[in-house]
Amino acid sequence: MTPPSPELLEQTTFSKSLLPAVYIVGAGPGDPDLLTVKAQRIIQQADVVVYANSLVPKEMLSLCHNGAELIPTATKTLEDIVPMMIDRVRSHLSVVRLHSGDPCLYGAVHEQIQALAEAEIPFEIIPGISAFQLAAAKLQVELTVPELVQTIILTRISGRTQVPEAEELASLAAHKASLCLYLSARHVDQAQQKLLAHYEPDTPVAIGFRLGWPDEQMWVVPLSEMAKATEDHELIRTTLYLISPALKSTHSQARSRLYHPEHRHLFRPGKH
Ligand SMILES: C[S@@+](CC[C@H](N)C(=O)[O-])C[C@H]1O[C@@H](n2cnc3c(N)ncnc32)[C@H](O)[C@@H]1O
């Protein structure tokens, strides 16, 4: 795999008008206000925007300039999408590949990166806010609470894409960490059963549906009711589960050392 040269990336990052390259941009969970400033600038300047129409809201596309070519991908395969992007870059156009959330998870980005690198097409990745981050913000919680939980697991249950055996949900549940479950609403019965092997039945589960969209919904239920709530609300897609002991710790006295008066560090050395 040949990554783009540092010189090209430097120019790509700082130029006012974009260079011919593919910009893989994280669109965030839905709300256009949650785009990064850099993502917004690149979308505004791009000649071509290739976007997943089911997961990227129309308002985001209103950022594009009038002459931009907009290409939805819902009906396309990777074999259609990649050559299209390569052709346009070779015609000296800048291409945004807009993905929901952050491009580093569950976005089929890996295979696009490989194909672009093989074709020696320069690319840059611009991060976005993932669904689990918006879920935590909406719940007004920190997912790492001292003495309670210090680890976040991002995972999914096996569906059409198989999860490697070593990452089996029941074995991840054994850590009792803050666990963010993507792409699992269709198999929620199975997920609940595996989680109950380790988490207490009354562990709070937040169920977030289309977070950041005008019709977003969020419920917090005990783990023992996760599947029933999913079925009652007929949730099949764009649903994120957040299972965490942190969700019941809002009144706990636990605190981090970071802002503790007894904790000294470079910027707060204390009196001598
Ligand atoms: C194809 S994956 C994309 C994940 C994305 N890259 C991210 O970082 O959020 C789609 C899954 O992510 C979760 N998801 C994405 N956006 C969401 C949203 N706005 N609300 C709730 N869940 C969301 C759901 O589990 C959904 O099935």
Side-chain angles (χ1 to χ4, degrees), residues 29-30 55 100-103 105-107 129-132 181-184 208-213 237-240:
L55 287 168
S100 73
D102 186 85
L105 63 159
Y106 308 125
I129 291 180
S130 185
F132 88 94
L181 198 56
Y182 286 74
L183 294 160
S184 298
F209 172 69
R210 284 171 61 84
L211 300 173
W213 292 73
R237 53 165 63 103
T238 329
T239 301
L240 178 91

Side-chain angles (χ1 to χ4, degrees), residues 65-124:
H65 66 75
N66 285 340
E69 182 188 14
L70 306 182
I71 308 179
T73 57
T75 57
K76 297 189 171 22
T77 62
L78 191 71
E79 286 69 14
D80 302 323
I81 297 167
V82 172
M84 226 168 48
M85 297 197 294
I86 293 175
D87 283 352
R88 279 152 180 84
V89 173
R90 288 190 175 145
S91 307
H92 309 287
L93 298 172
S94 54
V95 176
V96 161
R97 176 69 176 110
L98 200 52
H99 277 281
S100 73
D102 186 85
C104 82
L105 63 159
Y106 308 125
V109 168
H110 170 75
E111 38 282 50
Q112 296 176 68
I113 292 173
Q114 280 193 320
L116 294 173
E118 259 164 45
E120 298 188 5
I121 296 293
F123 62 89
E124 184 183 346

Side-chain angles (χ1 to χ4, degrees), residues 10 72 78 123 148 207 269:
E10 174 99 342
L78 191 71
F123 62 89
L148 184 68
I207 308 176

